Amino acid sequence: MTTRWSDNDAYGHVNNVTHYSWFDTAVNGWLMRATGTDVRRLSAIGVVAETACRYLSELSFPDEVEVGIGLRRLGNSSVTYGLAAFGNGSEQPASLGRFVHVYVDRETRITVPVPEEIRAALRQL
């Protein structure tokens, strides 16, 4: 991903909310590629129940950012991802994230098991 001019805050570095946006984009983009389906159309959808981020170094426009995704935990109805944002090809992450999806029925919003197509994709991580 490329940082945008508007990602910088008044202090001249990428604002914290942008890291969360990268994590959300990375997870859902990866899920769509890995499952070969638009996950928004499944009968069970992953809603974000928890996020966290630890900032280790600054990023700024016009940095290039790569986000790595790992599986921390696969439960019955939830998935916990570990993420890391790397700037400009660095081997040291600029931020580390935690991202939890809880799966719910798209209509009733009642918690349901993680769909099999998602579980199959997660076996790649």
Side-chain angles (χ1 to χ4, degrees), residues 6-10 13-20 22 55 59:
S6 63
D7 292 338
N8 280 7
D9 62 17
H13 60 252
V14 169
N15 190 272
N16 61 329
V17 71
T18 304
H19 292 254
Y20 287 102
W22 292 334
Y55 306 97
L59 294 171

Side-chain angles (χ1 to χ4, degrees), residues 16 30 32 80-81 95:
N16 61 329
W30 179 83
M32 287 184 178
T80 303
Y81 297 92
S95 63

Side-chain angles (χ1 to χ4, degrees), residues 43-122:
S43 61
I45 56 172
V47 294
V48 177
E50 180 182 338
T51 59
C53 187
R54 182 173 174 213
Y55 306 97
L56 304 171
S57 63
E58 291 185 334
L59 294 171
S60 184
F61 177 81
D63 291 344
E64 294 288 327
V65 178
E66 184 175 0
V67 177
I69 301 172
L71 177 63
R72 283 197 177 165
R73 181 180 177 278
L74 174 56
N76 181 53
S77 60
S78 66
V79 180
T80 303
Y81 297 92
L83 299 115
F86 300 87
N88 301 313
S90 174
E91 292 187 17
Q92 299 300 313
S95 63
L96 298 173
R98 173 183 159 92
F99 189 93
V100 179
H101 264 160
V102 172
Y103 280 84
V104 299
D105 179 273
R106 77 175 302 103
E107 299 300 323
T108 67
R109 297 301 203 248
I110 294 172
T111 304
V112 297
V114 175
E116 186 50 44
E117 49 269 76
I118 301 295
R119 286 183 180 279
L122 291 171

